[in-house]
Amino acid sequence: MTTDAGAPWLIAGLGNPGPEYAGNRHNVGFMVVDLLAERIGGRFKRHGKAQAQVVEGRVGPPGPLNRRVILAKPLSYMNLSGGPVTALRDFYKVPVANVVAVHDELDIDYGALRLKLGGGDNGHNGLKSITKALGSDYHRVRFGIGRPPGRMPVADFVLRDFSSSERKELGYFVDRAADAVECLVIEGLERAQGTYNS
């Protein structure tokens, strides 16, 4: 599956809308696209045709490596992310291989990153919803949040804010994840994996 260098990229940060969820582990995808929007000087606005907030802009140096990106935060709640992502994909005519989901990942240590194209959803309901709508041939930037301590249920763990000790490094890790997204879009998956897969 090759990407279309001239086509736009859709970068969907996954999370739940509303201030009560803002600091949750499950919302780290929103945190990453918020930082990307800040970098390109954009502000999220409600999209007219999709249940999402979007920012349009460009990343990369002037010339052939410059890429048009649409940053998105679905407003449907995590489990229904596929609807808004599909609506944006159709509206902006984005090839599936140019769709990137940025999301939390339980099976990876806190702060570690894994970038991949395709594959399963590892029980992540946001990915399940997107895969059901689009198929599996989209990119994922997986941000490790680690496993819950003791016998804490997974649902409680992902819907809690990062701990005070985790928050000390959270800014650094979100920054690194945003760098990884930019590298993926500009230089391709192999380069991004070589640099950022921890």
Side-chain angles (χ1 to χ4, degrees), residues 92-113:
Y92 290 105
K93 299 180 170 52
V94 179
V96 174
N98 283 29
V99 174
V100 182
V102 186
H103 62 91
D104 58 302
E105 179 64 66
L106 286 160
D107 290 331
I108 301 173
D109 290 342
Y110 172 60
L113 297 174

Side-chain angles (χ1 to χ4, degrees), residues 63-172:
L65 293 179
N66 193 257
R67 303 280 185 257
R68 181 177 171 221
V69 295
I70 298 98
L71 307 174
K73 294 195 288 188
L75 298 177
S76 58
Y77 290 97
M78 179 70 85
N79 297 3
L80 301 171
S81 300
V85 171
T86 302
L88 292 171
R89 191 276 314 261
D90 293 345
F91 181 85
Y92 290 105
K93 299 180 170 52
V94 179
V96 174
N98 283 29
V99 174
V100 182
V102 186
H103 62 91
D104 58 302
E105 179 64 66
L106 286 160
D107 290 331
I108 301 173
D109 290 342
Y110 172 60
L113 297 174
R114 296 275 193 288
L115 285 78
K116 63 185 280 197
L117 173 65
D121 54 56
N122 280 25
H124 192 291
N125 289 327
L127 294 182
K128 277 184 188 168
S129 178
I130 295 171
T131 298
K132 188 175 176 186
L134 290 185
S136 63
D137 290 330
Y138 59 93
H139 286 86
R140 301 113 198 269
V141 175
R142 304 157 71 202
F143 186 111
I145 60 168
R147 302 294 306 185
R151 296 185 172 182
M152 182 189 292
V154 164
D156 291 349
F157 180 69
V158 299
L159 292 175
R160 285 199 181 167
D161 287 1
F162 287 99
S163 69
S164 56
S165 62
E166 286 171 335
R167 283 198 296 272
K168 289 175 185 165
E169 294 183 293
L170 182 60
Y172 168 77

Side-chain angles (χ1 to χ4, degrees), residues 14-28 30-31 34 46 51 53 73-78 159 161:
L14 302 190
N16 288 307
E20 68 272 33
Y21 298 107
N24 288 181
R25 293 181 178 92
H26 225 17
N27 270 43
V28 75
F30 276 17
M31 297 174 197
D34 278 338
R46 183 72 186 247
Q51 195 181 358
Q53 291 182 321
K73 294 195 288 188
L75 298 177
S76 58
Y77 290 97
M78 179 70 85
L159 292 175
D161 287 1

